[in-house]
Amino acid sequence: MVEETLKIEGMACNHCVVRVGRAIASVEGVVEVDVNLEKKEAVVNFEESVTDLETIKAAVREAGYEPL
């Protein structure tokens, strides 16, 4: 299990938080995600053998936000 923190540009409201959270949670191998609007970041726990950070970042981009 790996825990990574992603800074995310473009989140402005709670709808954004929900959208980013759903996008990340939809990635196979993601076990837990916590999106924080104030910090503009997401803490993601995922199984390294199933997915990787680049796949998670791609899901965030597809949702319309920019992971840093």
Side-chain angles (χ1 to χ4, degrees):
M1 186 81 68
V2 177
E3 181 175 290
E4 293 282 348
T5 301
L6 294 174
K7 290 290 187 182
I8 301 175
E9 295 251 326
M11 293 193 306
C13 64
N14 285 330
H15 175 74
C16 298
V17 169
V18 170
R19 190 168 171 162
V20 169
R22 283 185 183 157
I24 294 172
S26 73
V27 176
E28 186 177 349
V30 170
V31 176
E32 185 177 358
V33 59
D34 180 34
V35 183
N36 186 304
L37 180 60
E38 282 185 24
K39 293 182 180 180
K40 298 203 182 304
E41 68 182 23
V43 179
V44 185
N45 291 298
F46 62 94
E47 305 228 7
E48 203 171 21
S49 61
V50 180
T51 193
D52 58 25
L53 198 53
E54 289 308 311
T55 303
I56 294 167
K57 286 181 178 181
V60 173
R61 283 188 199 98
E62 283 180 29
Y65 304 89
E66 187 58 38
L68 304 176

